[in-house]
Structures are given as C-alpha cells and as structure tokens.
Amino acid sequence: MLTKRFKGSFDTTAASETEEVGFQLGLTLKEGDIVLLEGVLGAGKTTLIKGIAKAFGLQESIITSPTFVLMHMYTDTLVHFDLYRLQALKEFQKAGLHEYLGPPYITLIEWPSLIRPLLGASVIEVKLTYKGEDKREIHIA
Ligand code: ADP
Ligand code: MG
C-alpha cells in the first residue's frame, strides 16, 4: 500500500505551534503506527500529543501525561504511554502492556528507551529539543 509519511524539521516558537505539528502528524497516522517521543522534561512531548489527539477529534484538555499510571487510552485504539517511571522492560510485559503495540492500536510513547527492544525499525521518531523558553526544534523521521 502506498503511504505518505509526515516528516521533517520544524522550529516552533509557541506551544500552539508544536500542537499544530502534532495535528499534522496525527492526520497521517493509521492503525499499527507507533510514535516515539523523545526529549527532556518540558520539551513538549505531551503538548505535541495534544495536537495528535485533536486530529482524532478529541478535546486537548483530556490529554495529560499518564505519569502515575503509565498509560492512557483515549479511544478504542488511541493509546498514550509515559514510561518515565518504568523501571524495567519486564515490568511493562508483566502488565500486559505490550498488547497495545501494533494493530489495531495507534500508540504514542513518551520515554520509550526501555521498551525499544520490543519495537521494530518501522516506528515514527519524534525528537524535541529545548531551544529557549518558548522555542523548540522538532525532528520527525
Ligand atoms: P513534556 O511532555 O516533554 O515533559 P510538556 O508538553 O508537558 O513537556 O510541557 C511543555 C511545556 O513547555 C508546556 O508548559 C508548554 O506550554 C511549554 N512550551 C513553551 N513553548 C513551547 C513550544 N514551542 N512547544 C512546546 N511546548 C512549549
Ligand atoms: Mg509529558
């Protein structure tokens, strides 16, 4: 199947612009897609996810980092992980969370490094770099 991918580098100067990048990315997502969001605390990972969620018709106000529960499910298929507090890969697997990687789900993952071994090469990588109070550089590949 022919698929057009959203990728490139973006310089944003406000949270709303990072959301807009997320919205554009969200419009291209389909089942089975896994989006990895990398960047320091405050880089804008959750902000970008708010934009993705908007592309699915969701209110951005329901989107928060699931720091204490590891996972939020916004629709039957849109899943958001924040693995900042995950201690080990086997903890993720024991909880059965690997079930949410791959079709029919669309999975958005903050702090994905520990579960990287479970993921194939065909993931969408979003790197956010802090460039100043309201400035961020976003790279999507
Ligand atoms: P993370 O999930 O990476 O820890 P958040 O998205 O929760 O980061 O927080 C980013 C913070 O930075 C928010 O308070 C947001 O309003 C602010 N911010 C300021 N400028 C930007 C920008 N250009 N892009 C994203 N967030 C920005
Ligand atoms: Mg976050």
mmCIF file of all heavy atoms in Angstrom, residues 46 65 82 110, ligand 2:
data_model
loop_
_atom_site.group_PDB
_atom_site.id
_atom_site.type_symbol
_atom_site.label_atom_id
_atom_site.label_comp_id
_atom_site.label_asym_id
_atom_site.label_seq_id
_atom_site.Cartn_x
_atom_site.Cartn_y
_atom_site.Cartn_z
ATOM 1 N N THR A 46 4.150 16.002 25.531
ATOM 2 C CA THR A 46 2.712 15.928 25.790
ATOM 3 C C THR A 46 1.956 16.989 24.978
ATOM 4 O O THR A 46 0.848 16.746 24.485
ATOM 5 C CB THR A 46 2.434 16.087 27.303
ATOM 6 O OG1 THR A 46 3.132 15.049 28.004
ATOM 7 C CG2 THR A 46 0.949 15.958 27.608
ATOM 8 N N SER A 65 -0.008 13.851 30.701
ATOM 9 C CA SER A 65 0.974 12.775 30.747
ATOM 10 C C SER A 65 0.555 11.762 31.796
ATOM 11 O O SER A 65 0.352 12.111 32.951
ATOM 12 C CB SER A 65 2.348 13.339 31.117
ATOM 13 O OG SER A 65 3.191 13.253 30.010
ATOM 14 N N ASP A 82 3.419 7.026 29.026
ATOM 15 C CA ASP A 82 4.529 7.838 29.531
ATOM 16 C C ASP A 82 5.325 6.908 30.429
ATOM 17 O O ASP A 82 4.888 6.560 31.526
ATOM 18 C CB ASP A 82 4.024 9.052 30.319
ATOM 19 C CG ASP A 82 5.190 9.947 30.762
ATOM 20 O OD1 ASP A 82 6.259 9.395 31.128
ATOM 21 O OD2 ASP A 82 5.036 11.175 30.754
ATOM 22 N N GLU A 110 5.928 8.368 25.307
ATOM 23 C CA GLU A 110 6.946 9.257 25.879
ATOM 24 C C GLU A 110 7.929 8.386 26.661
ATOM 25 O O GLU A 110 7.538 7.425 27.289
ATOM 26 C CB GLU A 110 6.288 10.279 26.827
ATOM 27 C CG GLU A 110 5.294 11.193 26.120
ATOM 28 C CD GLU A 110 4.741 12.290 27.030
ATOM 29 O OE1 GLU A 110 5.530 12.963 27.724
ATOM 30 O OE2 GLU A 110 3.505 12.472 27.045
HETATM 31 MG MG MG B 2 4.922 14.610 29.103
#
